[in-house]
Amino acid sequence: MTNDLRPITLYDSRTHKKRPFEPQQPGKVKMYVCGVTVYDLTHIGHARVFIVFDVLYRFLRHLGYDVNYVRNHTDVDDKILKRAAEKGVDPLELANRFIEELDRDMGQLGIQTPTVEPKVSEHIDQIIAMNQKLVESGHAYEADGDVYYRVESFEGYGKLSKRKLEDMEAGRSGRVEESQKKEHPFDFALWKKSEDEEIGWDSPWGRGRPGWHIECSAMSMEYLGDTLDIHGGGRDLIFPHHENEIAQSEAASGQEPFANFWMHVGMVNVAETTDEGEEVVRKMSKSLGNFWTTRDVLGGYHPEAVRYFMHTTLYRNPITYAMANLEEATQRMEYLYTALQRADKVLERGGWDAADNPPPGPSVSDKYWDLVDNFADRYQEALADDLNTPKALALVGEVAKALNEATQADAEPTEKDAFTVYRLRHHLMTAGEVLGILERDPDQGLAELRELRLDAMELDPQLIDEKIAARKQARMNKDWALADAIRDELDEMGVEIMDSPEGTTWRMK
RNA sequence: GGCGGCGUAGCCAAGUGGUAAGGCACGGGCCUGCAAAGCCCUGAUUCACCGGUUCGAAUCCGGUCGCCGCCUCCA
């Protein structure tokens, strides 16, 4: 029954506190996440946000919640118009192209498709209707074909970002839009007049296009109603984007709050060396030009390694993108897949397999009884605490270690041993499903992981296989000197070999 | 100037009142023809610093220092 689903706790950045998450309708979650303005390839800051909410989406459904997850594409925006003009292409075509690129990258990362992915260009009517409502109620005003939100008309303005209009220094960031048309410097555009050559739609205020913030209000309310259970996005959207969404949405609907929980994902930082040779860690951003595209990162690292890396830090904290961290994550993925591979081999040795012919239960070795029995609960508890993925990974590591320990022996396993391995393996797989890792067959996963490094070093796997075959021959002849020489040769190529009863496997160092 | 966050072992990183998870690196051992992989053992009397509250604080309060983010492009 939906009423007795496991409760979870989430940190709400509006109230700056963790509190029990209670959807308005028991068991049904309305979640809206701000997507990307599609005028370029995504960077890994975007990827982090997508991964975080993907895990939340997976976890809620894992617990049995019914989740209505809406994540938008902003396909009408001045940055898109600018880029399209530079390239001499149609803005919507440009946007669609980058939506396709985004889908490709996020698909590779194993991001599950949200329930709805609305586009601004397909919701112009809703945006105009909301603007009309705001103008009629005095929260917005028309000025020479533009429509502006009147921030002073909304008492709660600043409640999310905890700032007061009078405390803010207009122009502090050097990005204030000069406009004589506005009544107040912080009034923001709901609708912008379009010049003839610009994209535009007819409206009560003439031909124009939506401003930046209004689309999220209009589209979230279209699909999820006046009050969202969860609204998420990157931390840098708190002000002004989410602040403005609150002002628009609450003023338009008369309902408060617009969202019960605000979740904000920490920034991805990048370490750089200054001209003085100093190491500094700064936020990755387009304007600083220090960003890595998702595409580039996936060219060098496995998608599951990228996900693992993202899970090593709490989603609210900043994370530093660095090669060493991605390499460590890669190593951990290899460790986890190796544990699964060992489990499969042990089951096979006993005449069973995990899929069609599992070992009979329910008896489990005493040593692992607690772990097998409590794992699911402990794992859920970790994630139910505001998505504590580092803790979840610690538990995953615990199961993998137990699995490795339980598969130390080369002997044929007893029924009890095999069933223990089978259960531990199952837990590891289930845990992986929620985090979006370990979704490949172990052999496949390991092959993919090493393939990226193979490519990086421009090595031919066939050559490696040949050398391993030669070494096998030498070992059968007990020509240890030759066998070791071949191994050293492989080692210099960065190839590490592992002998086991089932034969020799290898991986990239 | 305003608002917010962070500072935990060599490195990464959980823990927010009950006596410091986990990972990487390092060292020792088991296994191995030798290795690797895997397994076992090993590391903070201590959580930036100072003071306070408390039977008890990394966790709460006050102050100091350092770093970062936002203040209408930003995930």
Side-chain angles (χ1 to χ4, degrees):
Chain A
M1 290 288 116
T2 53
N3 289 347
D4 41 18
L5 294 178
R6 175 170 200 131
I8 71 168
T9 297
L10 293 176
Y11 180 88
D12 171 30
S13 46
R14 163 74 236 287
T15 51
H16 289 232
K17 281 189 180 83
K18 270 188 202 174
R19 68 170 195 278
F21 171 67
E22 282 164 18
Q24 299 161 77
Q25 289 171 265
K28 290 188 188 297
V29 179
K30 298 175 178 182
M31 176 159 95
Y32 185 90
V33 172
C34 289
V36 173
T37 300
V38 280
Y39 70 103
D40 205 344
L41 292 175
T42 62
H43 61 232
I44 60 167
H46 299 119
R48 185 182 193 196
V49 172
F50 279 51
I51 289 170
V52 166
F53 289 104
D54 185 56
V55 170
L56 181 59
Y57 184 40
R58 287 168 182 249
F59 182 53
L60 286 169
R61 288 191 301 163
H62 174 75
L63 294 179
Y65 288 87
D66 180 12
V67 186
N68 195 174
Y69 176 22
V70 179
R71 192 190 61 214
N72 71 292
H73 295 304
T74 297
D75 66 344
V76 179
D77 175 273
D78 286 358
K79 287 195 292 295
I80 298 172
L81 301 192
K82 185 167 171 256
R83 182 65 56 90
E86 283 164 11
K87 298 199 165 190
V89 297
D90 177 72
L92 288 182
E93 267 174 39
L94 180 93
N96 279 329
R97 194 205 128 196
F98 285 112
I99 288 171
E100 281 170 25
E101 303 285 8
L102 178 149
D103 285 344
R104 188 177 135 197
D105 291 335
M106 297 307 154
Q108 244 189 296
L109 281 172
I111 305 294
Q112 297 188 342
T113 309
T115 320
V116 189
E117 293 178 279
K119 297 179 195 175
V120 179
S121 61
E122 292 169 3
H123 296 80
I124 300 295
D125 290 348
Q126 290 87 337
I127 290 169
I128 290 174
M130 184 175 259
N131 282 351
Q132 274 181 302
K133 210 184 266 187
L134 289 168
V135 169
E136 279 160 20
S137 61
H139 287 288
Y141 54 93
E142 191 255 327
D144 187 30
D146 292 345
V147 177
Y148 292 98
Y149 188 89
R150 185 176 275 132
V151 289
E152 288 182 307
S153 76
F154 187 70
E155 210 184 323
Y157 194 78
K159 62 185 174 183
L160 177 68
S161 54
K162 299 273 186 295
R163 56 188 87 193
K164 296 174 184 139
L165 281 171
E166 56 271 28
D167 289 341
M168 286 193 283
E169 252 181 64
R172 181 74 188 184
S173 69
R175 294 184 235 145
V176 173
E177 201 175 299
E178 285 298 324
S179 174
Q180 271 77 349
K181 301 178 191 172
K182 293 197 275 188
E183 293 176 4
H184 184 108
F186 288 101
D187 286 353
F188 54 92
L190 298 172
W191 188 260
K192 293 181 169 186
K193 181 181 179 177
S194 289
E195 302 300 330
D196 290 343
E197 71 279 7
E198 290 177 324
I199 191 170
W201 289 264
D202 289 328
S203 81
W205 316 283
R207 194 166 161 279
R209 58 188 190 276
W212 174 33
H213 316 289
I214 190 69
E215 82 279 18
C216 286
S217 292
M219 294 192 291
S220 64
M221 289 167 105
E222 168 78 7
Y223 294 100
L224 301 172
D226 291 346
T227 303
L228 312 172
D229 292 311
I230 298 169
H231 189 134
R235 211 177 174 71
D236 52 353
L237 293 183
I238 291 176
F239 191 89
H241 187 56
H242 289 161
E243 194 67 74
N244 290 352
E245 276 189 50
I246 289 176
Q248 294 158 352
S249 306
E250 293 185 0
S253 71
Q255 296 295 312
E256 192 189 354
F258 170 46
N260 279 320
F261 283 80
W262 285 92
M263 292 178 70
H264 291 104
V265 178
M267 297 293 96
V268 175
N269 293 145
V270 53
E272 297 164 279
T273 311
T274 62
D275 296 338
E276 290 79 46
E278 216 179 333
E279 270 272 293
V280 289
V281 172
R282 286 194 304 172
K283 171 187 165 181
M284 174 184 304
S285 80
K286 292 229 163 162
S287 48
L288 291 173
N290 60 351
F291 63 93
W292 290 83
T293 64
T294 307
R295 184 85 28 107
D296 282 345
V297 173
L298 289 176
Y301 300 100
H302 190 91
E304 294 194 348
V306 175
R307 291 186 73 115
Y308 188 102
F309 161 65
M310 294 296 184
H311 300 332
T312 59
T313 299
L314 290 176
Y315 77 88
R316 285 189 276 127
N317 293 341
I319 191 169
T320 302
Y321 177 83
M323 274 167 58
N325 296 338
L326 269 293
E327 272 159 21
E328 190 178 320
T330 301
Q331 204 177 309
R332 289 298 290 169
M333 283 311 305
E334 282 177 344
Y335 174 80
L336 297 177
Y337 269 125
T338 303
L340 287 178
Q341 198 179 47
R342 287 164 63 109
D344 288 347
K345 282 179 182 167
V346 165
L347 291 177
E348 204 179 306
R349 210 181 290 148
W352 294 289
D353 67 66
D356 303 321
N357 181 31
S363 159
V364 169
S365 310
D366 293 346
K367 188 171 181 187
Y368 303 107
W369 197 87
D370 279 346
L371 181 60
V372 167
D373 200 46
N374 300 328
F375 180 79
D377 189 56
R378 291 168 66 207
Y379 187 71
Q380 288 182 12
E381 192 181 17
L383 289 175
D385 179 16
D386 194 36
L387 242 43
N388 193 326
T389 51
K391 193 185 259 185
L393 286 183
L395 291 168
V396 163
E398 200 181 318
V399 179
K401 185 176 276 196
L403 204 44
N404 282 331
E405 196 186 356
T407 53
Q408 285 284 77
D410 292 337
E412 194 175 296
T414 65
E415 263 189 18
K416 198 175 189 175
D417 294 337
F419 189 67
T420 303
V421 167
Y422 173 75
R423 293 286 293 151
L424 289 169
R425 181 188 179 285
H426 172 77
H427 279 143
L428 195 51
M429 300 285 290
T430 308
E433 276 168 31
V434 179
L435 292 176
I437 56 174
L438 298 174
E439 298 198 304
R440 275 89 169 149
D441 171 82
D443 292 337
Q444 174 69 21
L446 286 168
E448 288 178 10
L449 281 158
R450 75 183 183 196
E451 205 173 300
L452 284 162
R453 303 207 223 184
L454 214 52
D455 288 350
M457 304 188 79
E458 296 176 337
L459 283 179
D460 178 7
Q462 214 180 329
L463 177 74
I464 294 166
D465 288 338
E466 280 165 18
K467 287 193 184 298
I468 287 174
R471 176 169 169 274
K472 184 181 177 186
Q473 190 57 50
R475 291 182 77 213
M476 287 199 318
N477 298 338
K478 295 209 189 295
D479 184 349
W480 306 124
L482 178 60
D484 290 354
I486 295 171
R487 187 178 59 207
D488 290 346
E489 205 179 323
L490 285 164
D491 187 67
E492 266 175 49
M493 291 159 65
V495 177
E496 226 165 38
I497 56 174
M498 284 106 52
D499 294 330
S500 82
E502 280 81 14
T504 298
T505 56
W506 59 276
R507 66 170 205 177
M508 300 302 295
K509 274 199 289 193

